[in-house]
Structures are given as structure tokens and as C-alpha cells.
Amino acid sequence: MLDANIKTQLQAYLTKLVQPIELVASLDESPKAAEMRALLEDIAGLSEQVSLRLDGNYKRRPSFGIARQGQAPRIHFAGIPMGHEFTSLILALLQSGGHPPKLEADVIEQIKALDGKYSFETFISLTCHNCPDVVQALNTMAVLNPGFEAVMIDGGMFQQEVEERQIMGVPAIYLNGELFGQGRMSAEEILAKLDTGAIAREAEKISQKEAFDVLVVGGGPAGSAAAIYAARKGIRTGVVAERFGGQVLDTLAIENFISVKETEGPKLAMALEQHVREYDVDIMNLQKAEALVPGENGGPIQVQLASGAVLRSKTVILATGARWREMNVPGEAEYRAKGVAYCPHCDGPLFKGKRVAVIGGGNSGVEAAIDLAGIVAQVTLLEFGSELRADAVLQKKLYSLPNVTVIKEAQTTEVNGDGQKVTGLTYKDRASGAVHQIELEGIFVQIGLLPNTDFLKGSVELSRFGEIVVDAKGQTSVPGVFAAGDCTTVPYKQIIIAMGEGAKASLSAFDHLIRSSAPA
């Protein structure tokens, strides 16, 4: 099952086991069960600390559990955790065997303090780059707290269950049989939903912090660069972010980050956070900014958070990034995660053998159509303009695919459904005015980005597109407030450009601090 290179690496990891662990398999006669057994036999053969039992009675087959020897498994894999989930398997093995998880001490104590029974089910696809975060967080919680049980369920292997629950987006997280959440969630985010008092406690703690010299709002590439450049100046630096990593977390392949031939968004986000943590930076994650209040009479600028907390700083760098643009047509919101999706890499496998549409003819849309064509039965790409906007090499590949139809000058006007899931869409031919309907099961929206600046209306100057207006130094219309990255008027929304703009804004903020503190 595992090649020699992977076996060598895994064997090295298994030397970190502190206590013996047991793999408990619940198998059937299917080919996938034979694959799973081969994988488990390979793992058990790499360490004397790992044993294998084939007499498991878990309700889903094929599946396997992991536990310390002598204990019942609280971590289960209903599927073969390869691809993006292989790291989840390795961490589950190590943490079950006593290797400490990489979580802050207060988060670990918060997990251990939770009372009650929590049975989590996470439906995933092996191509989903958001799913491992959820699986790993819940597995860690199951290791730390005996009241937790967590199972990863491969939607491609358990398709009947996916259809019964009408799951059309992953990760889909269920707690004690009820839908708990959808999309990427960290251990801290899961805790915030389970421990309702945590938000108020954290807000009080944040409000008591002293004023910063530089406060960065946003934890993506621009915010990370800004924080590092500020901290290197030796000034008091803070980062407040709704989720550290930002939109990079939702990006799969990155092949234009100079000096790095190729990487993936989650890996880059992890590297950004690790780099920022090398410096004396106060990171406040899972905190959404709700208002910016300019300082009066030389006083500190205030950033009000959705939790009720208030932060103060001499200068602020806004690096709030952008989010996927929505179509804003009837039915889109109603059928989100019920056939309307925004991540083809994550949700594409759930539409295997079905008919889907891709909205948007730029690079993202055409790449999505190409990827989906290898999974689904039929792809219809709808482009608003008279020509596709994607690179020529992508268009050539797209038009070579037999199960792809391209419709230009098509304005999507409605998402159609039966009350439970998407059944089609309606579009208008912009040339003729004729209205058409397409029957399908999934719609992937790829029409660009919207800046995350709604909370800034009335406080800083915004363009007609909602972007923060900045000058050549990143200065906004408010003295002491700077901005960088995809939320600004700087053209070309690219990771490498955002990083440079973040560094520039930080240097400008430092220059502002020097000049404003100098004697008259």
C-alpha cells in the first residue's frame, strides 16, 4: 500500500510514540477494505509500538479506529486517509501514542475542561485541502478529552450516507447527529461554538491590553508581512484576524510565488504564522473587526471587534483581504452548500457523474471547469462577456475536453431548486435577450473577489468597488491608518504583491510614528 519512501518517513515519525497504540479495523469484503487492511498492516509493521486487530465492530465498514492499548478507540477513519488526509493519520497515530499536540496551553486546558459527550462526524473528500484542519482538530480533542469521539468519513466511499443527508459541500461537520458547521474550522473555532462563555472571557482579556504602536487588522500575506516588518523595528505590534492565513487558506495550487516552484495555500498560511510567531507579536485570532474609530486630539485609534472588545493603537494597518464574489441572484443563498459551491477542489468529488455549471470565464473559472471535467459527467461554463478572459493555454485545454460546453454572453439570473437541492439555473442570452434554463445538480461560482471592507464605510475613503483608497506609501485618508493587500486600490491581486504592500505599509507606519513623536 505504501511505497518505500513513505514507509521510511512514517517509520521515523513512529519513533516519537511514547505509549503503545492499537489499530482496530472493522472490515468487509469490499476492495476498499482490502486496501485499508494493507495500509494498516504496513503501519503496524513499522513499529513495535503499533499493533493491529481485525475484529472491530464499528458501525461503518470499512473503517478503523486508533487508541492507546487497552482503551476503546475515540478516533475513527471511515475511509482510507491518503491524499490531503495522510497528515491527519500521522498526527492521530502520534497523539494517540502520547506525542503532545501543537496547541496553546490555554486551548488544551479549555478542551480538557469541557463536560458532556461530543460525537463528531466529519464528511470529507480526499481532494479537499480545507478538510484536514477540521479532522485534525477534532481528533486532537478526542485524544485530550474522553468525552469526545471523532470520525472522518470519506464521502466518496459512503455515497449513500452523503445522499441521505443531502451533503453537497465539505467539510460537513455533525455533532451528535445534528449539523454543527460547514467549511474549515480550527480547534479554537470549534471551542468557541462549544464553550459559549469563551467569547466574553476573551473579549474582556483583549480590551485590557495596552495600546499598540502598530496594530495590523488581518492575518493574510499582507498582514503577516506588515507584522514582521513592524516587529523587527522593536515596536509594540499586534495582529487581530478573523482567521490567520486569510483567503490563502482556500487556495490550492500556488505556482507563481517567486523562488518557491509550487506550494499549497494551507502550507503557505502555516509558514506565514510560524514566521510571525518568531517575533514578539501579539496574535489575536478568530476576532472580527467591526468598526474603526480615528483617534481624537492625538489619541489612539480604536478598532472595535464583533466580540465587544476594543483595541487601541498609535497606528493601524488594514489588511483585511477579499472574499469570493457572489452572483447575488435569487436562489443562490438558499442553495449554498446544497449545490451552490465556491471551491471546486473541495466539493467537486461530491458531484461525481453529475452535471454542473461553472460561472465565470477567467483563469479561476476555466481552471475549475478543467478540473471538474475529470470528475463530473458534464460541465457547462457560462461567461458574461463575449470572450473568455482566461490565459490562452487554459482556453486551449478547455476546448479540447469533450464533456465541456461554453456559453458566452450568458447572464445567470436565478438558481433553481426543489427546496432541498439545486436542480438547475436560468440565464439570459445578453445578445438576443432570450431566457434559457439548464438542468444540473451543481453550480460553482468563480467570478472574482470582493474586498472585506464593509465595516470601514464612513471611516476611511473607499473606491466605488469598496476598495480602500491608498497612496504610493499605503496611507489612507485617515492619518496613522495605512492599508495593504487585496482590500486596497493597488492593482493585481496577487500574494507576492500583497506581501510587498504589507511591508511597505509597515515601513510607512514606522515613519509616521517617528515623525509624529518628534518634538516640534
Side-chain angles (χ1 to χ4, degrees), residues 196-270:
T196 53
I199 296 174
R201 294 196 301 271
E202 185 67 15
E204 184 178 358
K205 188 168 75 172
I206 288 174
S207 293
Q208 292 174 353
K209 293 179 183 289
E210 295 180 9
F212 292 95
D213 292 313
V214 173
L215 176 64
V216 181
V217 183
S224 298
I228 289 169
Y229 266 71
R232 285 175 62 85
K233 296 295 185 182
I235 56 181
R236 180 167 162 73
T237 305
V239 174
V240 59
E242 191 169 352
R243 58 171 186 160
F244 204 99
Q247 197 194 15
V248 167
L249 291 166
D250 303 323
T251 305
L252 191 57
I254 298 172
E255 298 176 349
N256 57 356
F257 188 67
I258 310 306
S259 84
V260 178
K261 185 177 178 182
E262 58 184 33
T263 186
E264 295 177 350
K267 290 182 180 178
L268 178 59
M270 185 182 300

Side-chain angles (χ1 to χ4, degrees), residues 66-330:
I66 304 174
R68 292 182 185 175
Q69 220 162 50
Q71 295 183 2
R74 298 197 298 269
I75 295 174
H76 303 272
F77 289 91
I80 301 173
M82 301 302 288
H84 289 295
E85 292 296 348
F86 190 60
T87 301
S88 302
L89 171 61
I90 294 173
L91 290 174
L93 293 168
L94 296 181
Q95 292 174 12
S96 296
H99 189 70
K102 289 186 176 180
L103 288 176
E104 298 293 329
D106 57 343
V107 174
I108 291 175
E109 290 307 312
Q110 191 179 351
I111 293 170
K112 290 180 176 180
L114 285 173
D115 291 326
K117 293 292 182 182
Y118 302 91
S119 178
F120 279 98
E121 302 165 302
T122 305
F123 288 83
I124 62 99
S125 69
L126 295 177
T127 57
C128 169
H129 57 286
N130 290 322
C131 296
D133 276 10
V134 178
V135 173
Q136 291 164 25
L138 291 171
N139 287 350
T140 298
M141 296 170 94
V143 168
L144 294 171
N145 188 321
F148 277 75
E149 185 176 13
V151 56
M152 179 213 83
I153 305 166
D154 179 2
M157 188 180 292
F158 292 87
Q159 284 188 332
Q160 183 177 345
E161 195 169 350
V162 166
E163 290 175 6
E164 288 173 354
R165 300 203 194 194
Q166 297 185 340
I167 296 170
M168 306 190 80
V170 291
I173 311 154
Y174 287 79
L175 170 58
N176 299 334
E178 299 293 329
L179 186 63
F180 177 78
Q182 289 183 298
R184 174 190 296 273
M185 293 184 78
S186 65
E188 292 86 350
E189 288 173 292
I190 295 168
L191 274 174
K193 290 193 72 170
L194 295 176
D195 184 1
T196 53
I199 296 174
R201 294 196 301 271
E202 185 67 15
E204 184 178 358
K205 188 168 75 172
I206 288 174
S207 293
Q208 292 174 353
K209 293 179 183 289
E210 295 180 9
F212 292 95
D213 292 313
V214 173
L215 176 64
V216 181
V217 183
S224 298
I228 289 169
Y229 266 71
R232 285 175 62 85
K233 296 295 185 182
I235 56 181
R236 180 167 162 73
T237 305
V239 174
V240 59
E242 191 169 352
R243 58 171 186 160
F244 204 99
Q247 197 194 15
V248 167
L249 291 166
D250 303 323
T251 305
L252 191 57
I254 298 172
E255 298 176 349
N256 57 356
F257 188 67
I258 310 306
S259 84
V260 178
K261 185 177 178 182
E262 58 184 33
T263 186
E264 295 177 350
K267 290 182 180 178
L268 178 59
M270 185 182 300
L272 290 174
E273 184 170 357
Q274 288 173 345
H275 196 173
V276 173
R277 289 187 183 278
E278 289 291 317
Y279 296 92
D280 187 15
V281 176
D282 188 344
I283 297 177
M284 294 154 281
N285 200 12
L286 308 182
Q287 297 293 329
K288 183 178 181 180
E290 203 168 59
L292 175 79
V293 181
E296 295 182 3
N297 301 321
I301 302 159
Q302 292 187 9
V303 174
Q304 298 173 356
L305 307 181
S307 64
V310 177
L311 288 165
R312 292 162 292 277
S313 184
K314 296 176 183 176
T315 62
V316 168
I317 298 174
L318 300 168
T320 50
R323 63 191 184 276
W324 293 117
R325 184 185 296 273
E326 298 177 356
M327 297 184 292
N328 292 318
V329 299

Side-chain angles (χ1 to χ4, degrees), residues 449-494:
L449 302 172
L450 275 178
N452 295 319
T453 57
D454 292 345
F455 74 101
L456 295 169
K457 291 176 180 177
S459 58
V460 299
E461 183 184 356
L462 302 177
S463 73
R464 63 190 180 95
F465 301 110
E467 299 168 320
I468 303 169
V469 177
V470 293
D471 65 13
K473 292 186 176 181
Q475 172 71 57
T476 71
S477 59
V478 177
V481 178
F482 301 83
D486 289 1
C487 63
T488 72
T489 50
V490 171
Y492 311 120
K493 312 306 185 188
Q494 298 289 312

Side-chain angles (χ1 to χ4, degrees), residues 307-511:
S307 64
V310 177
L311 288 165
R312 292 162 292 277
S313 184
K314 296 176 183 176
T315 62
V316 168
I317 298 174
L318 300 168
T320 50
R323 63 191 184 276
W324 293 117
R325 184 185 296 273
E326 298 177 356
M327 297 184 292
N328 292 318
V329 299
E332 180 180 17
E334 180 184 354
Y335 291 105
R336 187 176 291 117
K338 297 178 182 178
V340 176
Y342 300 85
C343 179
H345 302 292
C346 300
D347 300 331
L350 298 177
F351 295 85
K352 184 177 180 180
K354 298 180 179 179
R355 301 162 298 177
V356 304
V358 173
I359 312 299
N363 282 349
S364 296
V366 172
E367 286 174 350
I370 292 169
D371 289 345
L372 289 165
I375 302 171
V376 305
Q378 175 68 32
V379 179
T380 302
L381 185 145
L382 286 82
E383 162 58 29
F384 185 83
S386 59
E387 296 295 335
L388 299 184
R389 293 164 287 111
D391 295 342
V393 64
L394 293 174
Q395 292 192 43
K396 184 177 179 181
K397 173 65 175 177
L398 180 75
Y399 283 117
S400 73
L401 300 172
N403 62 335
V404 174
T405 301
V406 177
I407 304 175
K408 300 172 185 175
E409 294 205 77
Q411 179 181 357
T412 304
T413 57
E414 186 173 1
V415 173
N416 307 322
D418 61 7
Q420 298 294 322
K421 60 184 184 299
V422 165
T423 59
L425 64 78
T426 302
Y427 76 91
K428 183 177 78 173
D429 185 320
R430 297 177 57 240
S432 67
V435 175
H436 303 274
Q437 290 190 340
I438 305 174
E439 293 185 358
L440 42 74
E441 289 76 39
I443 300 170
F444 289 84
V445 183
Q446 302 282 291
I447 55 174
L449 302 172
L450 275 178
N452 295 319
T453 57
D454 292 345
F455 74 101
L456 295 169
K457 291 176 180 177
S459 58
V460 299
E461 183 184 356
L462 302 177
S463 73
R464 63 190 180 95
F465 301 110
E467 299 168 320
I468 303 169
V469 177
V470 293
D471 65 13
K473 292 186 176 181
Q475 172 71 57
T476 71
S477 59
V478 177
V481 178
F482 301 83
D486 289 1
C487 63
T488 72
T489 50
V490 171
Y492 311 120
K493 312 306 185 188
Q494 298 289 312
I495 292 171
I496 199 160
I497 292 174
M499 285 184 171
E501 292 296 311
K504 182 204 295 182
S506 190
L507 294 172
S508 297
F510 182 67
D511 183 64

